Amino acid sequence: MPTASGRFEVKLDLLPMDDAPGLGRRSINKQFSGELEAVSVGQMLSAGGSVKGSAGYVALEIVRGRLGGREGSFALQHFGLMDRGTPSLTVVVVPDSGTDALTGLSGRMSIDIAGGEHRYTFEYDLPESA
């Protein structure tokens, strides 16, 4: 399975919520560099627990750009938890969301944040004839 890696910049902005105490909503704007040259836009919903260090979020983002020399777009779905300070995160390509030369794309992305730098590793599968 091919693997792409690199860095990304992310900007999160608060969005309004309609009478939903305990929930947060943010817009997502990313710029990927490295083996995935792309931009993305999306939205995130989050909720905090009553214990410090516990929270959860879900997000969807549409990624547009170039992967493995092929151009198109695809959707990523995030499922993140923080359990008393212990994080877990799953980020997967939404099935059948690939377009143009990325049609048929599947995969999973991991994200690492260290020293203020965001890095991704993207394990993916892409049919030869897309």
Side-chain angles (χ1 to χ4, degrees):
M1 183 175 276
T3 301
S5 60
R7 299 178 182 173
F8 67 93
E9 301 288 327
V10 62
K11 183 175 187 228
L12 301 173
D13 288 316
L14 285 173
L15 295 172
M17 287 293 296
D18 295 329
D19 194 28
L23 289 180
R25 183 171 157 234
R26 294 179 182 262
S27 65
I28 303 169
N29 289 283
K30 290 182 184 170
Q31 175 76 49
F32 292 90
S33 61
E35 297 171 72
L36 171 62
E37 288 287 336
V39 296
S40 76
V41 295
Q43 289 196 10
M44 170 195 305
L45 286 175
S46 62
S50 60
V51 174
K52 183 178 169 109
S54 293
Y57 90 92
V58 294
L60 287 166
E61 64 181 302
I62 302 297
V63 181
R64 289 181 179 85
R66 179 182 293 273
L67 173 66
R70 294 164 67 173
E71 290 189 36
S73 67
F74 59 93
L76 288 175
Q77 181 170 330
H78 300 233
F79 177 78
L81 289 174
M82 183 70 85
D83 185 353
R84 297 180 185 222
T86 302
S88 98
L89 177 62
T90 301
V91 182
V92 296
V93 174
V94 173
D96 299 315
S97 64
T99 67
D100 302 319
L102 298 179
T103 297
L105 177 71
S106 62
R108 171 181 225 93
M109 184 178 282
S110 62
I111 296 173
D112 182 44
I113 305 169
E117 181 178 88
H118 293 76
R119 299 193 63 81
Y120 69 87
T121 302
F122 186 25
E123 294 180 349
Y124 67 94
D125 188 39
L126 188 56
E128 288 295 322
S129 59

